[in-house]
Amino acid sequence: MLVRDAMSTVVLTIGPTHTLRQAARLMSARRIGAAVVHDPDTCGLGIITERDILDAVGSGMDPDRETASAHTTTDVVFAAPAWTLEEAAEAMTHGGFRHLIVLDGDGPVGIVSVRDIIRCWAPARRRQPAAAAG
């Protein structure tokens, strides 16, 4: 199975000046765990996740004053739609993250998460015959 089969095509793109509260509100409304941060003046594309927001708020930062740019991961690993789910899972495991922005051509076309991969793999595991008891 390929990344294109598992990815969410709901891609929330926010700007670097969005506050953490605004980002959280938008992510919550779409029931997604990550947003693409587009900053054409600096790093281009980055990602902010629910974990980034949780860590900031948990450490006492003000979600109405903190901006996405201060909590964006800019050293991003991008996936291609034609990657296998195994390749995506390997990249996530190696990098220690749970989301990959999927690029096709000039921009993001989706986001694939660990949850998306598990959702695809779980039904396949149920269909496999049980190992014989020995």
Side-chain angles (χ1 to χ4, degrees), residues 1 11-12 14 35 38 47 69 95-96 99-100 103 114 122 125 128 132:
M1 188 168 274
V11 180
L12 172 62
I14 64 172
H38 182 244
I47 191 167
S69 65
H99 298 87
L100 290 170
L103 291 183
V114 170
R125 301 259 188 258
Q128 293 178 353

Side-chain angles (χ1 to χ4, degrees), residues 72-126:
T72 297
T73 299
T74 56
D75 185 18
V76 180
V77 174
F78 298 101
W83 277 18
T84 65
L85 294 185
E86 288 82 6
E87 289 172 306
E90 184 177 321
M92 289 178 187
T93 301
H94 185 266
F97 40 80
R98 299 178 297 153
H99 298 87
L100 290 170
I101 299 171
V102 183
L103 291 183
D104 193 13
D106 292 335
V109 294
I111 293 184
V112 65
S113 70
V114 170
R115 181 176 290 149
D116 295 327
I117 293 171
I118 291 170
R119 193 175 297 128
C120 290
W121 282 346
R125 301 259 188 258
R126 284 193 297 253

Side-chain angles (χ1 to χ4, degrees), residues 26-48:
L26 292 167
M27 290 163 62
S28 178
R30 289 162 180 79
R31 299 183 50 104
I32 56 175
V36 173
V37 180
H38 182 244
D39 187 353
D41 295 332
T42 59
C43 63
L45 293 180
I47 191 167
I48 188 166

Side-chain angles (χ1 to χ4, degrees), residues 48-81:
I48 188 166
T49 67
E50 58 197 354
R51 172 88 32 120
D52 297 324
I53 295 169
L54 183 67
D55 287 347
V57 173
S59 67
M61 294 180 181
D62 183 347
D64 293 312
R65 293 185 184 269
E66 288 293 314
T67 61
S69 65
H71 302 277
T72 297
T73 299
T74 56
D75 185 18
V76 180
V77 174
F78 298 101

